[in-house]
Every structure is written in structure tokens, then in C-alpha cells.
Amino acid sequence: MPGFDPLQLYSLLLDAYGPQGWWPLYSRRGEGGFDERGYRTGAEPDTLSRNESFEIILGAILTQNTNWQNVERALKRLFDAGIDSPEALIATNEERLAELIRPSGYFRQKSARLLDLIPRIFPDGRLNEFSREELLALKGIGPETADSILLYVCGRSYFIADLYTRRLKMRLAGAEKIGKYEEVRSAFESQLPNKPSLYREFHALIIRHGKAHCAARPCCEGCPALVLCEYPNRHDA
């Protein structure tokens, strides 16, 4: 990717959008240090509580093949029903769990997946610190979900090459096709310092930018990354 400078891109996006406070915690919405949707308004903590880790893992699985607004609806139903811990979820039968998470889509599949995964990730109620390879060996966890858990819960430097990230990389390079997950992840990781806090903020900024400008149908006017982008040069009328 000639001329690709992730740190310059990070700086441009941070200047344009400011800190994003991601990963939002529905259970903390409206509390000190969080806004009304659970996005952080203050500094990240050094460690997460067990139930905060559980909520992020829950969200990482529920967000598969859907958007965050639908995940928020599912989380609200779960927390309103008192399912806010690994033990509470494990004690819920599959049919009821499926109905509660219906807004997230693929709710029967995700219900079965959660009831299989959560006891493995929280054996005896404690978070099991999996390696990336061990997470990927679990049915229902692909690279994006694994890296989300490793980065946001475990604080390990794995860059999340989701669709927003892969699409942005493609357009910055003026490529014709979206790159594969692992090659895009490596392209970012090879040029970034090993700082989980930077990876988290960068991932959130890319999501924000993808929604504002670099969606499937891009809006290049006012794009803060335009100075780095080859896309307009290849698609001028």
C-alpha cells in the first residue's frame, strides 16, 4: 500500500472527530464518566470488572452481522431481564435467551452460541485468558470477534480489520478490491506502536469515519482523510 501512513491517518481522524469513548457499556450509561448511551467521557480504566468484560464479549458476539443500534436494543432487553453476568446468562434457557436477543438478528443461532461460549470463556465465573488461536478454535468466533475480545477485554494489541477498516484501506490505496482480513490487520499492526489504547481509539475512529464518509457509497466532500486518499483520483468523472 504505497504511501500508507496509519499514524497520519489516526491523527487526521482524531482531529476531525475527537475521542470516541468506545467500547460503549450499556450497563454504565448515565453514570459518572459515561454518557447516556454508555460511551466513556473520561479516561479508560487500567482494568475492567468481570461483568464489564462479560458485557463487551456479549456485545462482540451480538454485533455479528448487525449494527450497534440493534445490539443496544438486545442488551437493554437482557439487562432489563436481569441477565448482566455470566451466571445469569448460563442459567437462562435457550428459547428465552433467543427471544430476548431477537433485535440483534440471527437470534436463535446467537442464543445457542452464547450458551456454548460463555461457560468456556468464564469457567467457574472467572475470565479465561485465551490466546488468539484458542479463541479462533471456538465455534462461532471469527477473527473480528476474537480481536475485539483480545483488544477491548484483554488489552492486547490486535488491530480489528472490520469491514469499515478494510474498505478504508482499499480506498486510500486506490485498490479495486477490499483486502482480506489478515493482510489488512498486518498492514496496520506493522506500522503502529504496540499500544492497545491507540488501537482501541483508532478502531472507533474508523467506525465513526466509515459512517460519516467512507460507507459503501462514499461521501468524499469534507472527508478529513481526503489528503491521503487515492479513491477520488481513480473515480473522477
Side-chain angles (χ1 to χ4, degrees), residues 16-226:
Y17 303 113
Q20 296 300 293
W22 187 267
W23 192 287
L25 290 170
Y26 181 83
S27 64
R28 303 296 302 277
R29 65 200 186 285
E31 296 182 7
F34 294 84
D35 69 11
E36 69 281 357
R37 290 182 63 195
Y39 288 79
R40 294 188 186 277
T41 58
E44 293 182 10
D46 292 331
T47 59
L48 297 171
S49 71
R50 187 197 65 147
N51 282 8
E52 287 174 335
S53 297
F54 164 73
E55 183 176 344
I56 292 174
I57 292 168
L58 184 59
I61 294 168
L62 291 177
T63 201
Q64 294 172 352
N65 301 304
T66 193
N67 60 53
W68 190 253
Q69 287 73 26
N70 289 333
V71 174
E72 285 181 320
R73 295 185 187 101
L75 289 173
K76 180 181 188 305
R77 290 160 66 98
L78 286 169
F79 281 93
D80 285 351
I83 300 173
D84 57 0
S85 68
E87 292 82 6
L89 186 141
I90 293 166
T92 306
N93 69 57
E94 187 173 330
E95 184 177 350
R96 180 170 184 251
L97 182 59
E99 184 57 34
L100 288 169
I101 65 172
R102 179 184 286 269
S104 70
Y106 298 94
F107 52 93
R108 292 188 180 87
Q109 181 185 76
K110 289 178 181 178
S111 174
R113 187 169 293 171
L114 285 167
L115 289 170
D116 177 60
L117 289 173
I118 293 302
R120 297 170 185 265
I121 297 173
F122 290 92
D124 301 319
R126 294 170 298 181
L127 177 64
N128 188 345
E129 292 278 344
F130 284 100
S131 68
R132 188 172 194 261
E133 292 72 23
E134 288 169 334
L135 278 175
L136 290 174
L138 298 176
K139 184 177 180 180
I141 293 188
E144 185 177 331
T145 303
D147 292 339
S148 295
I149 293 170
L150 291 166
L151 178 60
Y152 284 101
V153 176
C154 303
R156 302 185 209 168
S157 296
Y158 287 95
F159 204 85
I160 301 167
D162 57 15
L163 180 58
Y164 287 114
T165 303
R166 300 197 307 274
R167 183 188 290 132
L168 177 58
K169 178 182 179 294
M170 173 191 72
R171 288 182 174 149
L172 289 173
E176 294 297 330
K177 294 182 179 179
I178 292 178
K180 295 180 180 179
Y181 187 97
E182 296 298 343
E183 68 183 24
V184 174
R185 180 175 70 87
S186 295
F188 278 85
E189 289 181 6
S190 65
Q191 298 185 63
L192 290 172
N194 187 350
K195 293 179 63 177
S197 59
L198 185 150
Y199 281 33
R200 294 185 194 112
E201 188 63 66
F202 205 167
H203 171 234
L205 287 165
I206 290 173
I207 292 174
R208 174 72 179 272
H209 180 66
K211 292 177 179 178
H213 288 283
C214 209
R217 298 180 66 178
C219 174
C220 295
E221 184 176 355
C223 172
L226 201 60

